[in-house]
Amino acid sequence: MITDIEDLRILAKKRVPRMFYDYADSGSWTESTYRANQGDFQKLLLRQRVAVNLSDRSIKSQMVGQDVAMPVAIAPTGLTGMQHADGEILAARAAKRFGIPFTLSTMSICSIEDIAEGTDGHPFWFQLYVMRDRAFVERLIDRAKAAGCSALVLTLDLQISGQRHKDLKNGLAAPPKITFRNALNLASKPRWLLGMAGTRRRTLGNIFGHVEGVEELGSLAEWTARQFDPCLSWEDVRWIRQKWGGKLILKGIQDVDDARMAVGTGADAIIVSNHGGRQLDGAPSSIKALPAIVDAVGSQIEVHMDGGIRSGQDVLKAIALGAKGTYIGRAMLYGLGAGGEAGVTRALEIIHKELDLTMAFCGVTRLADVDRRIISDIT
Ligand code: FNR
């Protein structure tokens, strides 16, 4: 019986090939930031209040002016279609039904056009990586516009990549390279294999077939590795804002000075994020970095956060410390690996219920009334 996100993680670990499960469930180098993202949520204590009328409650909210059933969006995650066949389409459908935003990664398996088709044109968010090939960046922006995307999430913390030991040892690739070790592991995942046999989407859908000369896997991997632009600057952010013209969210802010720079670009929101502990190992957890950034820029720009959210209690703590919205990466991936679209829906239901009840235990009935007063100063 599935009662929490941890149950979904355990089931996903059984069903997803090791290479892709490890890709999701790991951080860079010593994984200290990855662990702190979850661990620091545990250190925050909530204040229980009693004898409050709790009969009429709402956790509905808005993110960048868009109505959300709860202040939780699905974070962009690469290779999601390798956790489960057609993974991005399934997760986008679950998000649509639930009434929360789905963010598609540049590095997804299903393409922008696949998501638009798979959700009957329901608006979703697109996450952009700035590549050296600026003509390709422009084409991605145009494709996102054509697909009706209602926000662009520009990720700023991956000009260069942190190292995840397991990905190197597993020889991570999509589709997976068949080595003796992989073949043994894949053979023990019949449900996953069956799903993959039934889809044509097994490689980077936004790139494959959209860039001249990268039609086969070897050149695709090489091209993407070379493409992340180490020269990315705030000037580029302004250029992208102009080119996009719609709601813009800057992802990967950890520092107050960078948050102030982000305000200057005219973006609509920032995401306090350390990329789920996958980039700078040794950086503070997101929940620790959040309050100072809210204090510095919260009155000028919407502040969102992600990293370590595995429960509604975590979401509530982030909202209490000033986040207007949150994102789930792994909590969604575990649901997807465990049970496809139904698994993602289950993850969202779990978080929704936990958030609603935890807010009520704190004596609050409207999410808009949640603030730092619900955090206990007893530590
Ligand atoms: C990510 N993340 C990420 N971010 C992004 O902007 N583009 C991407 O392609 C990816 N890819 C990616 C893959 C995987 C497997 C993970 C786990 C994460 C980071 C992601 O958007 C988000 O910041 C974190 O996942 C948040 O932390 P939690 O919720 O996973 O703890």
Side-chain angles (χ1 to χ4, degrees), residues 198-347:
T199 183
R200 58 183 165 75
R201 302 181 188 93
R202 295 189 207 115
T203 191
L204 297 171
N206 287 326
I207 297 165
F208 192 82
H210 291 275
V211 184
E212 231 175 292
V214 290
E215 300 300 329
E216 48 91 21
L217 189 68
S219 61
L220 177 71
E222 227 175 87
W223 185 83
T224 40
R226 262 190 293 113
Q227 273 298 324
F228 289 90
D229 192 349
C231 303
L232 173 67
S233 73
W234 290 106
E235 212 33 64
D236 295 310
V237 175
R238 280 185 273 273
W239 171 71
I240 287 164
R241 177 169 176 257
Q242 210 177 14
K243 174 88 195 133
W244 167 246
K247 296 285 181 192
L248 179 66
I249 303 171
L250 302 182
K251 178 170 186 280
I253 306 289
Q254 271 273 302
D255 189 272
V256 167
D257 290 342
D258 285 343
R260 291 205 176 95
M261 292 299 289
V263 170
T265 65
D268 299 277
I270 56 172
I271 310 177
V272 175
S273 172
N274 49 38
H275 216 100
R278 297 162 80 80
Q279 288 289 82
L280 176 61
D281 182 37
S285 67
S286 296
I287 193 66
K288 202 164 188 178
L290 177 69
I293 292 178
V294 169
D295 287 343
V297 300
S299 60
Q300 294 157 280
I301 196 168
E302 218 170 283
V303 179
H304 302 171
M305 75 80 70
D306 73 19
I309 292 179
R310 302 289 185 276
S311 68
Q313 295 88 307
D314 295 340
V315 174
L316 188 74
K317 289 170 183 176
I319 300 296
L321 293 186
K324 180 87 167 74
T326 65
Y327 298 72
I328 50 167
R330 295 177 181 89
M332 174 279 290
L333 293 174
Y334 298 151
L336 183 67
E341 184 177 340
V344 177
T345 300
R346 191 78 196 95

Side-chain angles (χ1 to χ4, degrees), residues 23-26 34 37-38 75-79 83 105-108 127 129 153 155 157 251 273-278 306-310 327-331 333:
Y23 169 65
D25 189 14
S26 56
Y34 176 40
N37 274 348
Q38 272 180 269
T77 51
L79 310 185
Q83 303 291 333
S105 166
T106 294
M107 306 305 281
S108 57
Q127 176 264 325
Y129 277 128
V153 175
T155 297
D157 63 2
K251 178 170 186 280
S273 172
N274 49 38
H275 216 100
R278 297 162 80 80
D306 73 19
I309 292 179
R310 302 289 185 276
Y327 298 72
I328 50 167
R330 295 177 181 89
L333 293 174

Side-chain angles (χ1 to χ4, degrees), residues 5 16 32 34 39 47-48 52 55 74 77 80 88 92 110 117 123 146 158 201 220 237 245 267 288 305 352 367 378:
I5 299 297
V16 177
S32 68
Y34 176 40
R47 272 174 77 193
Q48 174 180 283
V52 174
S55 56
I74 293 191
T77 51
T80 301
E88 291 93 351
C110 304
E117 199 191 315
L158 206 131
R201 302 181 188 93
L220 177 71
V237 175
K288 202 164 188 178
M305 75 80 70
H352 187 275
L367 198 87
I378 306 165

